[in-house]
């Protein structure tokens, strides 16, 4: 019979029962008792999943095999879940222009001493749903492989992407290589159905949009 951790690895966290999730948080059982049996007893003592919201450390320690360390692990997880439940969806940045891209990424990229090639992943409303640094170093087509770019885009269910990289010199004017890399990514995007909307080069307080300058 698979242990909860093994089931989670093979089948995913959603396949686990409430008791199995508690068992993972407990980590180990007590003397002569498996962690799953201990988790069953904890659940029975507390009275159900909903009752965990009001359980105290003293109540948990009443269970044989539950010491302060295990009780703290359970209480910390309960509190984390409580805080997540209270959070509201964060306001996502909407990209309507190259200037929006610049405002979103300028301070993060302008002072870097090496070139960073970054992708912004957008949904159908042009809202940023994530970003990822694809590589660090001088831009060339052999390093910026479409596979790496679109693997992340597909994983995040992106409708489109915007590429960026910085020029440590402070001058955002694109090189011939910058343009060639962008065109290659656009072609790859057309094959997988994910649009490359722009490639924005970030300098020191300045930016250059390849789309704005009709280079792509």
């Amino acid at each position: 019979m698979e242990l909860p951790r093994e089931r989670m690895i093979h089948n995913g966290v959603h396949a686990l029962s409430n008791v199995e999730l508690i068992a993972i948080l407990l980590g180990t059982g007590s003397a002569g008792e498996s962690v799953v049996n201990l988790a069953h007893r904890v659940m029975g003592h507390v009275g159900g999943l909903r009752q965990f919201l009001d359980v105290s450390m003293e109540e948990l320690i009443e269970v044989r095999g539950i010491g302060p360390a295990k009780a703290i692990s359970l209480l910390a997880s309960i509190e984390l879940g409580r805080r997540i439940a209270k959070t509201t969806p964060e306001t996502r940045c909407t990209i309507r222009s190259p200037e929006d891209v610049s405002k979103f990424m300028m301070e993060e990229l302008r002072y870097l001493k090496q070139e960073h090639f970054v992708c912004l992943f957008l949904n159908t409303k042009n809202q940023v749903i994530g970003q990822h640094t694809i590589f660090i170093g001088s831009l060339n087509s052999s390093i910026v492989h479409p596979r790496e770019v679109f693997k992340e885009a597909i994983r995040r269910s992106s409708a489109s992407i915007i590429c960026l990289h910085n020029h440590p010199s402070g001058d955002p004017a694109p090189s011939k290589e910058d343009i060639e890399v962008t065109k290659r990514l656009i072609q790859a995007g057309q094959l997988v159905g994910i649009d490359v909307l722009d490639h924005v080069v970030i300098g020191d307080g300045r930016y250059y949009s390849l789309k704005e300058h009709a280079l792509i």
Side-chain angles (χ1 to χ4, degrees):
M1 181 177 179
E2 283 188 319
L3 294 173
R5 288 183 181 181
E6 294 169 339
R7 276 182 31 81
M8 182 172 170
I9 291 170
H10 295 153
N11 303 314
V13 68
H14 299 294
L16 271 59
S17 68
N18 294 335
V19 166
E20 287 174 315
L21 291 172
I22 292 170
I24 287 176
L25 292 172
L26 293 175
T28 58
S30 58
E33 182 180 36
S34 72
V35 67
V36 174
N37 286 340
L38 177 57
H40 270 293
R41 289 199 297 107
V42 171
M43 178 72 87
H45 180 81
V46 173
L49 195 61
R50 175 65 180 77
Q51 282 66 40
F52 271 99
L53 291 173
D54 302 312
V55 74
S56 67
M57 179 177 288
E58 291 73 21
E59 289 175 292
L60 290 172
I61 292 176
E62 289 174 359
V63 180
R64 178 176 51 83
I66 299 295
K70 284 183 168 63
I72 287 170
S73 178
L74 287 172
L75 290 171
S77 301
I78 293 163
E79 179 59 24
L80 183 60
R82 194 197 315 269
R83 294 182 186 186
I84 291 171
K86 289 181 178 178
T87 59
T88 56
E90 61 185 68
T91 303
R92 288 172 170 167
C93 174
T94 300
I95 302 297
R96 299 184 180 88
S97 67
E99 185 178 3
D100 290 338
V101 179
S102 172
K103 288 179 179 178
F104 188 68
M105 294 295 296
M106 176 64 73
E107 295 309 309
E108 184 172 335
L109 296 178
R110 67 185 293 187
Y111 299 116
L112 297 176
K113 302 303 181 185
Q114 286 183 282
E115 289 189 14
H116 287 57
F117 186 85
V118 179
C119 284
L120 298 182
F121 305 104
L122 280 60
N123 61 19
T124 55
K125 297 180 179 180
N126 279 10
Q127 296 172 324
V128 178
I129 56 175
Q131 71 180 71
H132 184 69
T133 300
I134 304 299
F135 87 100
I136 300 172
S138 299
L139 194 66
N140 66 68
S141 56
S142 64
I143 294 179
V144 184
H145 199 286
R147 178 180 59 247
E148 299 304 316
V149 173
F150 290 103
K151 177 179 71 175
E152 284 295 324
I154 293 168
R155 186 175 71 83
R156 297 167 190 259
S157 300
S158 308
S160 58
I161 66 172
I162 293 175
C163 302
L164 301 98
H165 79 281
N166 62 301
H167 280 177
S169 66
D171 180 3
S175 66
K176 180 181 178 182
E177 191 72 37
D178 296 342
I179 299 168
E180 290 176 353
V181 166
T182 308
K183 289 180 177 179
R184 184 182 181 202
L185 291 174
I186 289 173
Q187 291 172 352
Q190 290 170 344
L191 291 175
V192 297
I194 298 175
D195 292 333
V196 178
L197 300 182
D198 201 351
H199 185 169
V200 178
V201 186
I202 299 294
D204 187 3
R206 296 178 292 159
Y207 71 88
Y208 191 107
S209 160
L210 272 66
K211 182 175 182 180
E212 199 170 53
H213 288 80
L215 294 178
I216 56 173

